[in-house]
């Protein structure tokens, strides 16, 4: 019973889905093994998933399509959708053909996606061992295979048991023994009892009894009405959606819900947060609201819980503003000191570079003066030597 769906509704949905698969398989001329495989896949899938989150009709179509491929009797998705459309209209009404419009394309895409989802959930383990052959084999062991009435009755009970969950809970050998036991009991055919015949096949009487009771309950139930079941599922789906939105703090239309007491409303008292604080010279905020009563007015009278809550909220907002201002002032001070240090380093570096360039210029001037004086001395010594020659 996933998502709060009651057991009776879920059982009716399982029976209705399996009946749709069986009827669609007959109209599609599928073998009985393919129809049985589709019903078992339907039961397996909805043992792990909810009928509220997944449409049973779409997944019944997907089970028929997948089972036809598994049993090597494939059918087109279009044929499956047409057959389900015909079954939905009813037997007594005039059948109208399916229009190939956008709704048909959407339904076809949903069936294909549902088939992939079934394969993913079942881990691609879609092999089903049916007890059809086991029934015939066990009757041959009991030497009753010539009794065609017994064989056919056991076969019919097994096909009806596909609408229940016994194929998910029990082994196929146990189901075959239960169908033979039920058919022999109805037809009043004696079977070996010393020892009991089903003990030879490793089956207990408790399991046989449980399967027989589950199968016989089908004949005493009323035929499920698809319209009523869909209404119940839709009603439960709406209730779950409202509960989910309420847990998130939202209204059914998706808007956020405000609390009745203590909730902030911007239009209720704008003075509280917009005009009630005045900044002083020291950098702190002080309240100057004319509406807030003084401590003398409060003397001898106890404030209401709502007033105390608002006062506490005002204090918290004031303290948070003060702390934010102190943080901003500290960050400004640090940034200013960092910028001053960078300017100081830049000036020092510039001064060192200028000093270095001054030293280089002085060395260059000295070298030039030294070269000039050396050249003059050479020229002077040359003139004097020429004079001596003359």
């Amino acid at each position: 019973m996933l998502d709060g769906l009651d057991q009776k509704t879920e059982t009716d949905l399982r029976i209705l889905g399996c009946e749709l698969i069986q009827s669609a398989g007959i109209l599609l001329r599928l073998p009985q093994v393919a129809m049985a495989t589709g019903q078992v896949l339907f039961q397996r899938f909805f043992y792990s998933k909810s009928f509220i989150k997944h449409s049973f009709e779409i997944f019944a179509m997907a089970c028929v399509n997948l089972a036809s491929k598994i049993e090597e009797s494939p059918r087109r998705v279009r044929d499956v959708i047409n057959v389900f459309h015909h079954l939905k209209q009813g037997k007594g009404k005039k059948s109208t053909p399916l229009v190939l419009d956008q709704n048909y394309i959407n339904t076809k895409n949903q069936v294909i996606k549902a088939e992939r989802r079934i394969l993913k959930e079942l881990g691609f383990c879609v092999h089903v061992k049916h007890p059809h052959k086991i029934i015939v084999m066990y009757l041959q062991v009991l030497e009753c295979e010539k009794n065609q009435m017994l064989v056919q009755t056991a076969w019919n009970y097994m096909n009806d048991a596909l609408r229940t969950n016994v194929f998910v809970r029990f082994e196929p050998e146990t189901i075959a023994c239960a169908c033979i036991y039920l058919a022999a009991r109805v037809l009043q055919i004696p079977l070996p009892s010393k020892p009991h015949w089903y003990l030879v096949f490793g089956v207990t009487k408790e399991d046989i009894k449980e399967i027989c009771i589950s199968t016989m309950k089908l004949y005493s139930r009323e035929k499920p009405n698809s319209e009523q079941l869909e209404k119940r599922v839709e009603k439960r789906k709406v209730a779950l959606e409202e509960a989910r939105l309420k847990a998130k703090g939202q209204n059914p239309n998706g808007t956020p819900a405000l609390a009745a007491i203590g909730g902030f409303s911007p239009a209720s008292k704008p003075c509280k947060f917009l005009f009630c604080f005045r900044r002083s010279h020291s950098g702190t905020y002080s309240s100057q609201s004319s509406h807030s009563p003084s401590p003398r007015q409060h003397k001898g009278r106890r404030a209401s819980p709502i007033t105390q809550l608002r006062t506490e909220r005002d204090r918290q907002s004031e303290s948070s503003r003060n702390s934010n201002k102190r943080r901003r002032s500290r960050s400004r001070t640090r940034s200013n000191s960092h910028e001053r240090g960078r300017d100081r380093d830049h000036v020092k570096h510039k001064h060192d570079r200028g000093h270095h360039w001054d030293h280089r210029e002085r060395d260059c001037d000295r070298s030039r003066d030294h070269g000039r004086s050396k050249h003059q001395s050479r020229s002077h010594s040359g003139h004097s030597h020429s004079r001596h020659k003359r």
Side-chain angles (χ1 to χ4, degrees):
M1 292 182 291
L2 296 174
D3 293 331
L5 198 65
D6 59 287
Q7 188 175 3
K8 184 179 181 301
T9 305
E10 184 172 346
T11 306
D12 289 342
L13 285 170
R14 289 180 182 276
I15 294 172
L16 182 61
C18 291
E19 286 181 353
L20 282 174
I21 293 173
Q22 183 74 22
S23 302
I26 293 171
L27 293 176
L28 290 168
R29 296 180 181 179
L30 288 171
Q32 178 60 34
V33 180
M35 291 183 271
T37 302
Q39 295 178 61
V40 174
L41 294 177
F42 183 83
Q43 296 279 1
R44 285 182 185 176
F45 178 78
F46 281 105
Y47 247 82
S48 61
K49 295 298 176 183
S50 171
F51 282 99
I52 294 176
K53 296 181 180 178
H54 304 86
S55 173
F56 79 97
E57 188 177 358
I58 295 294
F59 278 87
M61 296 181 196
C63 288
V64 171
N65 192 32
L66 182 58
S68 66
K69 297 175 184 177
I70 294 170
E71 302 301 335
E72 298 181 358
S73 301
R75 298 291 186 270
R76 295 186 302 175
V77 182
R78 178 177 176 178
D79 296 337
V80 175
I81 296 174
N82 282 329
V83 165
F84 272 82
H85 177 72
H86 172 73
L87 291 172
K88 194 173 182 180
Q89 291 178 354
K91 295 181 180 179
K93 300 178 183 179
K94 186 178 179 181
S95 179
T96 57
L98 181 65
V99 181
L100 301 180
D101 55 356
Q102 188 62 37
N103 292 330
Y104 165 77
I105 296 173
N106 295 337
T107 305
K108 184 177 179 180
N109 293 333
Q110 288 176 6
V111 172
I112 295 171
K113 290 180 181 178
E115 184 179 351
R116 295 175 184 170
R117 186 69 183 271
I118 292 170
L119 290 171
K120 180 183 176 182
E121 286 299 323
L122 300 181
F124 287 84
C125 297
V126 292
H127 174 69
V128 180
K129 186 179 180 181
H130 296 291
H132 294 75
K133 296 179 180 179
I134 299 175
I135 288 177
V136 178
M137 185 177 65
Y138 283 179
L139 288 174
Q140 288 175 355
V141 173
L142 295 172
E143 297 179 354
C144 297
E145 74 278 3
K146 294 181 180 180
N147 192 340
Q148 294 296 324
M149 184 64 69
L150 179 62
V151 175
Q152 188 63 45
T153 306
W155 192 285
N156 293 339
Y157 279 129
M158 191 210 61
N159 289 332
D160 292 339
L162 288 167
R163 292 167 176 78
T164 65
N165 57 2
V166 296
F167 278 82
V168 187
R169 298 169 53 199
F170 298 99
E171 296 291 332
E173 293 81 8
T174 308
I175 299 170
C177 289
C179 293
I180 294 172
Y181 178 86
L182 192 58
R185 192 77 179 266
V186 170
L187 297 175
Q188 296 181 357
I189 297 174
L191 294 174
S193 59
K194 292 183 181 180
H196 290 290
W197 62 273
Y198 48 80
L199 297 177
V200 179
F201 306 115
V203 181
T204 62
K205 189 175 182 179
E206 289 75 15
D207 292 343
I208 290 177
K209 188 176 180 181
E210 190 171 353
I211 294 171
C212 291
I213 291 172
S214 300
T215 306
M216 296 303 293
K217 280 183 178 179
L218 289 171
Y219 307 118
S220 59
R221 294 180 70 93
E222 295 180 0
K223 188 175 182 180
N225 191 343
S226 60
E227 295 180 359
Q228 293 180 0
L229 291 175
E230 288 177 357
K231 287 180 182 178
R232 289 183 203 167
V233 171
E234 192 65 29
K235 184 178 179 181
R236 185 59 190 165
K237 189 185 296 185
V238 171
L240 286 175
E241 186 67 20
E242 290 178 356
R244 186 180 64 84
L245 293 174
K246 188 176 180 182
K248 287 185 176 182
Q250 295 180 355
N251 293 324
N253 56 0
T255 58
L258 296 175
I261 298 177
F264 169 67
S265 176
S268 59
K269 289 187 179 181
C271 177
K272 277 283 181 186
F273 299 96
L274 298 178
F275 309 109
C276 293
F277 293 99
R278 178 173 55 85
R279 191 172 179 181
S280 63
H281 295 289
S282 59
T284 61
Y285 289 87
S286 62
S287 174
Q288 58 177 5
S289 173
S290 60
H291 298 285
S292 58
S294 62
R296 293 180 181 176
Q297 294 176 354
H298 279 294
K299 192 174 181 181
R301 187 181 63 178
R302 189 174 182 180
S304 64
I306 299 176
T307 308
Q308 291 179 0
L309 182 63
R310 288 173 178 169
T311 307
E312 184 65 25
R313 191 166 52 198
D314 295 344
R315 290 175 185 169
Q316 291 178 1
S317 63
E318 185 177 355
S319 61
S320 63
R321 291 187 183 186
N322 292 337
S323 61
N324 291 335
K325 185 182 178 306
R326 283 196 290 271
R327 283 197 209 100
R328 286 197 294 270
S329 62
R330 287 173 190 165
S331 61
R332 286 198 201 99
T333 306
R334 288 173 187 166
S335 61
N336 292 337
S337 62
H338 185 62
E339 289 177 359
R340 287 196 207 99
R342 273 196 309 186
D343 294 342
R344 209 179 294 117
D345 295 339
H346 181 68
V347 171
K348 185 177 179 182
H349 182 64
K350 193 172 182 182
H351 178 71
D352 293 343
R353 288 182 60 189
H355 188 66
H356 178 67
W357 282 107
D358 291 343
H359 275 289
R360 289 188 62 180
E361 287 177 359
R362 288 173 191 168
D363 293 341
C364 290
D365 292 341
R366 287 175 185 171
S367 61
R368 284 199 205 99
D369 294 341
H370 181 68
R372 211 177 282 139
S373 61
K374 192 173 182 180
H375 179 69
Q376 288 177 1
S377 63
R378 282 181 184 174
S379 61
H380 183 69
S381 62
H383 285 302
S384 61
H385 185 65
S386 60
R387 283 197 203 103
H388 284 300
K389 275 186 179 181
R390 285 176 193 160

